Structure formats: C-alpha cells, structure tokens
Amino acid sequence: MQFEPIAAIATPHGTGGIGVIRLSGDGAFTVAQRVFHAKSGKALADMAGYTAAFGQVCDVDGPVDEAVVLVFRAPKSYTGEDVVEISCHGGETILRRTLAALLATGARLAGPGEFTRRAFLHGRIDLTEAEAVMQLIGAQSADAVRAAIAQHEGALYREIRQIKEILYQLSAELAAFFDYPDDDIPALTRESVLPRLAEVQEKLEKLCVQYETGRVLRDGVTVAIVGKPNVGKSTLMNRLLGEERSIVTEIAGTTRDVVEESAQFAGMTLHLFDTAGLRETDDPVERIGVARAKSKIEQAMLVFVLFDGSRPLDGEDESIFSMLQGKRVIAILNKADLPQRCDMARIRSVFPDMVSISAAEAHGMDALETRLRDRFRLEAIDPRAGMLANARQLDCALRAKTAVMESRQGLIAGFTLDVLSVGLQTAEDALAELTGEQASEAVIEKVFAQFCVGK
Ligand SMILES: Nc1nc2c(c(=O)[nH]1)N(C=O)[C@@H](CNc1ccc(C(=O)N[C@@H](CCC(=O)O)C(=O)O)cc1)CN2
Ligand SMILES: Nc1nc2c(ncn2[C@@H]2O[C@H](COP(=O)(O)OP(=O)(O)OP(=O)(O)O)[C@@H](O)[C@H]2O)c(=O)[nH]1
Ligand SMILES: [Mg+2]
C-alpha cells in the first residue's frame, strides 16, 4: 500500500515560542529536503532516526525561518512511517509558509486525526487507544489524565480481549461439538456453558455501569447552585472557583443572570451555574433570572441547594423542596459560622444527602468534597482500569451484552445449544467493532473526524 506524505501544523493556532509542523509517509525525507537545509550540509535521508538538525527553511521566495528538524525512521515513529518534524518559531505566518512549501513540493494536507489514523492503519494502536489520544488532549483533571493514559496504554483493549477470548473459546468448542459429534470431544452442556456466558455478561455489565462514572471523570459534572435569595450561592460559587467571579452583597436578589464557570474540585471538573435566588417577584428582570435558574435545574446533572442555617425555614424554602423532586441533589446548609436556627431534620428528611458549611469562612468544604465523590462513586473506580470512553464504545459493549444475555436466556428457557452460535457471533462482531479490528470504514471515518488536524 502507498502512504503518500501528509503534512500539518501540529501546534495550536496563534503565537507561541515555537511551532511544529509534522510530515509523515513514504518520501517524507525527500519532501522535507526540498524545504529544509541543514547548516551542517547533511541530507535528512542520511540522518539516523531520533536525531535532530539545525538549519533554514526556504520556499520559492527565499528564507522563511531558521528551524530545528527531528527525524524519525519507520517504523520507530508515532505513525510508524518516516516522520520529519520541523520546529519553527511559533508565528502563524511562518508556520503557514513552511506548511505551504511542503504542500507545494509533494505533501498533501493531513485530514483531522490522520497521523493517528496512520498509526492505527499500521497496527500500532487499536481504535480504543486512538480514541484515548483525543481523551488525553481533552482531559481536564488529574484523574481524567490517568484514565486516558491507561486507555492509551491499552487497558480497555486488554479487558475486551479477555472477554473475546472466552467467547472465541466457546465458539470453537461449539463448532467442534456440532462438526464432530461422534468424536471424543467432551460433551458441551448447558451446565458448562451457562457460567461462562454469565461471566462474560457480568464483565460487560460492569463496563457499561462504569461508563457513567467514567464520563463524570472525563467530562465533569454540570452543577446548578440554587436556593432562596441571600443564602450564599454566589459566595459558594466564588469559594469553589477560588476567585471573586460572582457579585456578592448583603442585598437579596443580587445575582440576576446565570453565571457559568468551571472549577476543579474533589478531583473532578464542576461546570457551575450560579443562579438568581428563587422567589416570587414583580421585578421583570429578576423574574427572567428566576426562570433561567429553573431551566438550569432541569439541565444540570446535580443540584446544590443552599439554605441559610442562621434562619428558620420558610414558605419559599418549602416551595424549593417540591421544585427539586426527582433531581440529584446535595443539600447545603450554609452560614454554619452563625448561630444555627434552621430545622436541619426537616431538610434531611427531604434531601438525605446534606452538609453543613460556611462558604464565607471556608468551613466544611472537605465534607462537601467527600459527599460529591461518594455521590458519583468515584472511590469505587480505578482510573487505571479499562473503561469505556465514549458513546461509540458503549454502544458496541451494549450490543455484545444484549447478545450474550439473550443467548443465556435462550438456554435457560430450554433451547438447544445451537441458539448460541448466532448470539456468540453477534457479540464477537460487536467487540471487534469496539477495538476496530472489524470496524467499517464509516465507523473509522467517524472516529478520526473528531480529531484535530495535526494529531
Ligand atoms: N515531538 C514530538 N513530541 C510528542 C509527540 C510527537 O509525535 N512528536 N507525540 C505524539 O503524539 C507524543 C509522544 N508520542 C509518541 C509515541 C511514539 C513515538 C515513537 O516514535 N515510537 C516508536 C519509537 C519508540 C522507541 O524509540 O522505543 C515506536 O514505538 O516504535 C513517538 C512519540 C507527545 N510528544
Ligand atoms: N456569616 C456568613 N455570611 C455569609 C456566608 N455566605 C454568604 N454570606 C453572606 O450572605 C450574603 C449573601 O451572599 P451571596 O453569596 O450574595 O448570596 P446569594 O445566594 O448569591 O444571593 P442572591 O444572588 O441575591 O440570590 C452576603 O452578605 C454574604 O457575605 C457564610 O457562610 N457565613
Ligand atoms: Mg448571588
């Protein structure tokens, strides 16, 4: 197969100290040589892999920049092909001119994720590892980075391989059993098959259940901060952000619009919405704010509902109780630094998950952190273990799980062993699609289309 040289700017757009252009494919050294001249006079094709040269980038109009070039020789490179990386000064114009020079002398502009796709095509990584590259780039918390690294190192791939091995083994035994029924093959029985199907189903179920937790780890949680006016919502928002983002005053009705900001807290990313205090009001601006607060309650994955611990509950608090029915809620009793006059038991009877804090004095923040981690069962998951990383992978795993489950139910219902063959095949295919061994061109296309150019 021919792998024409592809090129792209690999660093972010904008100005930086240096910027890198990547070139990969058959003839990469020849193409780069037309654009780059080493000061030493050495030809790129004569350089050993994993060595560098200093020199000048030129196009038809003359010198563009001075640059450092790295040479990687197939198969010891990111893509598995010959690769040249040109590190220029990080100016948009310089990078564009250098790229244009490469494109004019034999390279083609790389599509999104095409370098990683080449690594996949050369069998260096499977589809889940390729997807992990994207996950790694987008990771927003330390745990998310750990999860992406594990995935990149093949944690999910290995997990799936184990499951596939059980399925393949069963398929092989089944085939032997049907093809040579009279031979001395130990008889395959319902009793011997069922526990193995159960094991596969359980492994797949675990992966699917952990998907939600993994999503929290990767993408973070949307949290609406709500409550009556003046309970300290904006103070809590600012405390979580570590900066004075929302306006705080002693005047009830200070926050009007929704203030959105992301914070790192409890080892995860919280996408916070500080909202207008919920109350009946004739002020037209505040009414819109209250309506927006209510719509954020609908959108958010989690609600922090705040109460002022220094005041008794009133009708407005009670109407908030009913507004939050069916939502995932953590109740926060604020102003714990003041004498407490609020009916804690009443709040706890509605929202069992409750913490007492002082947003102003930063008390109780660690208790809030614990509640949050418990809520998403973050302690129960090991970010280094194999995890499904996106909707595509979840879909494949669910299809496999359903197929196995149906086969099991068929056997339990008294069907003969041949019901297995279709179910096993369906499950094997779904898992082969997950890792990319059997993914269609369309699936692969979709995966890499989500990448950025230059990756
Ligand atoms: N300059 C540069 N930095 C980079 C990358 C890159 O492509 N270029 N990477 C791009 O994402 C990441 C590193 N990933 C890489 C993965 C594999 C190989 C590689 O050459 N592997 C060969 C040789 C390994 C060895 O010497 O043992 C191999 O696996 O055979 C290079 C980079 C982050 N930093
Ligand atoms: N003593 C004490 N005062 C607090 C605490 N948290 C907030 N406050 C005070 O309560 C008042 C209201 O705080 P905000 O954070 O503006 O309250 P809010 O819920 O955002 O109010 P609205 O935006 O009007 O709905 C301010 O005077 C804060 O300083 C706390 O933990 N202890
Ligand atoms: Mg406010």
Side-chain angles (χ1 to χ4, degrees):
M1 222 196 293
Q2 184 68 29
F3 289 99
E4 51 180 337
I6 51 173
I9 299 171
T11 40
H13 289 281
T15 310
I18 56 174
V20 176
I21 291 173
R22 213 186 215 175
L23 177 68
S24 176
D26 299 333
F29 301 140
T30 315
V31 172
Q33 191 64 65
R34 296 188 190 121
V35 168
F36 176 81
H37 310 286
K39 197 175 170 205
S40 68
K42 199 165 181 180
L44 292 175
D46 296 333
M47 287 170 60
Y50 269 90
T51 61
F54 171 72
Q56 197 169 45
V57 174
C58 295
D59 65 8
V60 286
D61 298 326
V64 175
D65 191 14
E66 54 181 22
V68 168
V69 155
L70 296 182
V71 167
F72 304 83
R73 287 192 170 272
K76 289 204 153 198
S77 72
Y78 179 67
T79 57
E81 304 176 335
D82 285 342
V83 170
V84 177
E85 287 182 358
I86 307 178
S87 299
C88 300
H89 289 105
E92 190 99 16
T93 315
I94 289 172
L95 289 169
R96 296 221 157 272
R97 258 181 87 183
T98 306
L99 176 62
L102 292 170
L103 299 180
T105 55
R108 165 172 74 69
L109 184 65
E114 199 169 1
F115 293 98
T116 309
R117 185 179 185 148
R118 290 265 170 108
F120 169 70
L121 290 175
H122 294 299
R124 302 179 64 74
I125 52 175
D126 84 320
L127 213 47
T128 65
E129 288 160 322
E131 286 170 317
V133 173
M134 273 312 284
Q135 202 185 319
L136 192 55
I137 291 174
Q140 294 177 336
S141 68
D143 272 353
V145 168
R146 272 190 280 278
I149 289 174
Q151 175 103 326
H152 191 45
E153 288 172 347
L156 177 63
Y157 175 73
R158 284 190 298 275
E159 186 88 30
I160 297 294
R161 193 177 55 197
Q162 266 185 19
I163 298 173
K164 278 198 296 204
E165 268 159 20
I166 305 177
L167 292 173
Y168 290 151
Q169 178 65 29
L170 269 174
S171 285
E173 288 176 31
L174 196 69
F177 178 68
F178 283 120
D179 292 350
Y180 312 102
D182 304 328
D183 284 14
D184 252 357
I185 299 166
L188 205 56
T189 60
R190 254 193 205 105
E191 290 63 40
S192 71
V193 170
L194 278 173
R196 287 194 278 171
L197 287 181
E199 185 189 349
V200 168
Q201 189 182 328
E202 195 183 308
K203 280 179 186 291
L204 286 168
E205 247 153 34
K206 196 170 146 211
L207 281 174
C208 294
V209 168
Q210 284 188 347
Y211 174 71
E212 165 81 354
T213 318
R215 205 161 63 106
V216 167
L217 213 60
R218 276 188 308 279
D219 305 335
V221 192
T222 47
V223 183
I225 306 177
V226 305
K228 272 193 329 188
N230 229 27
V231 293
K233 298 178 294 298
S234 300
T235 307
L236 175 61
M237 168 87 164
N238 292 344
R239 173 67 55 208
L240 291 169
L241 291 175
E243 61 173 303
E244 301 304 307
R245 173 73 173 80
S246 267
I247 299 171
V248 170
T249 73
E250 64 292 341
I251 303 160
T254 298
T255 305
R256 298 298 189 90
D257 213 341
V258 179
V259 180
E260 300 195 22
E261 203 71 68
S262 297
Q264 289 298 320
F265 185 72
M268 56 179 123
T269 306
L270 303 184
H271 305 287
L272 300 166
F273 309 130
D274 178 24
T275 63
L278 297 165
R279 68 171 167 190
E280 297 291 334
T281 167
D282 293 328
D283 180 321
V285 180
E286 195 177 350
R287 280 172 87 110
I288 297 173
V290 170
R292 289 191 178 173
K294 287 179 181 165
S295 98
K296 284 300 171 195
I297 293 175
E298 293 310 312
Q299 276 176 36
M301 291 164 71
L302 178 68
V303 175
F304 284 168
V305 58
L306 266 70
F307 300 96
D308 184 340
S310 68
R311 291 162 183 276
L313 294 173
D314 60 19
E316 278 171 346
D317 291 305
E318 289 289 339
S319 68
I320 291 172
F321 286 158
S322 50
M323 199 183 298
L324 293 176
Q325 262 171 18
K327 291 297 299 182
R328 203 197 294 236
V329 174
I330 295 180
I332 298 176
L333 199 56
N334 191 31
K335 309 198 186 182
D337 52 298
L338 300 176
Q340 297 295 285
R341 298 179 51 212
C342 174
D343 185 354
M344 243 194 244
R346 167 74 186 126
I347 297 176
R348 211 189 286 276
S349 72
V350 185
F351 307 116
D353 210 357
M354 192 191 82
V355 274
S356 186
I357 70 164
S358 165
E361 307 274 316
H363 291 155
M365 298 307 281
D366 40 353
L368 179 59
E369 189 168 335
T370 308
R371 294 251 63 83
L372 206 52
R373 289 188 72 87
D374 282 357
R375 202 59 194 246
F376 291 99
R377 283 180 298 172
L378 286 185
E379 309 314 334
I381 91 160
D382 175 5
R384 287 166 206 80
M387 269 190 279
L388 299 170
N390 54 43
R392 183 194 74 81
Q393 295 177 0
L394 177 67
D395 174 63
C396 293
L398 281 173
R399 272 188 280 142
K401 191 192 79 169
T402 306
V404 170
M405 193 184 70
E406 285 171 0
S407 299
R408 251 186 90 203
Q409 286 168 345
L411 283 187
I412 293 168
F415 285 96
T416 52
L417 281 172
D418 41 321
V419 295
L420 270 185
S421 50
V422 174
L424 288 178
Q425 188 64 50
T426 307
E428 286 164 13
D429 288 349
L431 295 180
E433 182 177 328
L434 200 164
T435 57
E437 285 147 280
Q438 249 187 61
S440 67
E441 194 56 34
V443 166
I444 294 168
E445 198 66 48
K446 224 172 124 188
V447 167
F448 289 101
Q450 293 160 21
F451 278 56
C452 41
V453 171
K455 191 62 231 179

